[in-house]
């Protein structure tokens, strides 16, 4: 029967930046999605061919047959990645292989297109990222340190019906998304005690949700500003309050 031959395919890359499917009505299971900061030229999907997957299999004397999605996946085997701190497991549901958390939130899916022909050799298989995954903090927008090997999603069958589940060799890299900054609203206050201005900071957290803006450090350098009499003005931070003082 067919066996795994320990070969590998060229790794593909998908991007959190291109996520554009956030569902505000998400009720706990299915696709919640996310909204990335897409700089252009990004994608959430990549397509594999039959030939690419067949290169991972030694079919043996009975010759090559079909490569199909693995319907035996049952949500108990880990993919090796996490999303919002939740482990993502392999499962098979409604004709698709999915990466799903224990709470039922779907992070990615893999579909098969048979192209309406009898021959399996023109089949294609599409991996689609549907939600964010957890990257190591502060590695930047181009970070592709999260890699999922999707070989387990497939089963290869030889010419007389013997089959084997693929084990490894189909890497998909998931590029990180990071917050983007647009501008800060500016305003004027009169030079009198007690006057105030309230404005907005315009930014987008991106695919990794839920974010916040906080003061960067309690070790704040001098402002370079002075009072009318020439006294230097410095900053101090206490919790969420920044105070200018002399």
């Amino acid at each position: 029967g067919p066996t795994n031959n320990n070969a590998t395919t060229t790794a593909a890359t998908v991007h959190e930046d291109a996520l554009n499917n956030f569902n505000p009505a998400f009720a706990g299971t299915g696709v919640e999605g996310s909204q990335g900061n897409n700089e252009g030229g990004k994608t959430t999907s990549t397509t594999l061919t039959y030939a690419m997957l067949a290169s991972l299999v030694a079919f043996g004397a009975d010759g090559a047959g079909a490569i199909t999605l693995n319907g035996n996946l049952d949500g108990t085997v880990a993919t090796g990645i996490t999303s919002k701190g939740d482990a993502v497991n392999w499962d098979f549901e409604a004709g698709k292989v999915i990466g799903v958390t224990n709470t039922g939130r779907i992070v990615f899916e893999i579909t098969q297109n048979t192209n309406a022909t009898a021959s399996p050799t023109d089949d294609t298989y599409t991996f689609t990222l549907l939600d964010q995954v957890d990257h190591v903090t502060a590695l930047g927008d181009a970070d592709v340190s999260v890699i999922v090997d999707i070989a387990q999603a497939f089963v290869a069958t030889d010419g007389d019906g013997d089959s084997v589940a693929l084990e490894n060799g189909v890497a998909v890299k998931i590029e990180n998304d990071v917050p983007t900054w647009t501008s800060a609203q500016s305003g004027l206050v009169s030079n009198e005690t007690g006057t105030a201005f309230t404005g907005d900071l315009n930014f987008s957290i991106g695919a990794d949700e839920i974010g916040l803006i906080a003061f960067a450090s309690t070790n704040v350098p001098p402002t370079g500003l002075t009072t009318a009499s020439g006294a230097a003005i410095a900053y101090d931070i206490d919790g969420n309050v920044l105070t200018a003082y002399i």
Side-chain angles (χ1 to χ4, degrees), residues 92-183:
F92 184 83
E93 181 179 284
K96 302 176 183 179
V97 170
I98 59 174
V100 61
T101 68
N102 289 333
T103 61
R105 180 169 53 84
I106 300 173
V107 178
F108 64 78
E109 68 178 21
I110 302 171
T111 58
Q112 179 174 4
N113 181 4
T114 61
N115 292 307
T117 69
S119 172
T121 59
D122 62 356
D123 288 1
T124 56
Y125 315 82
T126 300
F127 173 99
T128 303
L129 183 69
L130 298 172
D131 209 335
Q132 65 86 229
V133 300
D134 299 330
H135 292 77
V136 176
T137 302
L139 292 184
D141 189 49
D143 171 36
V144 289
S145 61
V146 174
I147 301 174
V148 56
D149 193 324
I150 65 171
Q152 294 181 66
F154 305 102
V155 171
T157 303
D158 69 12
D160 71 353
D162 296 318
S163 62
V164 63
L166 301 192
E167 295 176 353
N168 52 59
V170 192
V172 175
K173 300 178 180 180
I174 303 175
E175 189 190 74
N176 192 26
D177 188 29
V178 298
T180 57
W181 171 264
T182 304
S183 63

Side-chain angles (χ1 to χ4, degrees), residues 71-88:
N72 292 321
L73 298 171
D74 60 3
T76 62
V77 177
T79 64
I81 65 174
T82 61
S83 173
K84 301 180 185 177
D86 298 327
V88 179

Side-chain angles (χ1 to χ4, degrees), residues 16-17 35-37 39 135 141 175-179 205-208:
E16 286 184 337
D17 313 52
Q35 181 63 55
N37 292 318
E39 305 95 346
H135 292 77
D141 189 49
E175 189 190 74
N176 192 26
D177 188 29
V178 298
I205 287 296
D208 291 318

Side-chain angles (χ1 to χ4, degrees), residues 194-206:
T195 56
F197 167 75
T198 299
D200 290 327
L201 301 175
N202 299 308
F203 70 101
S204 173
I205 287 296

Side-chain angles (χ1 to χ4, degrees), residues 43-91:
T43 183
T44 57
S45 65
T46 184
T47 297
L48 307 168
T49 65
Y50 173 92
M52 293 169 68
L53 296 179
S55 71
L56 308 179
V57 182
F59 281 100
D62 294 317
I67 295 178
T68 56
L69 297 179
N70 188 348
N72 292 321
L73 298 171
D74 60 3
T76 62
V77 177
T79 64
I81 65 174
T82 61
S83 173
K84 301 180 185 177
D86 298 327
V88 179
N89 296 327
W90 292 106
D91 206 348

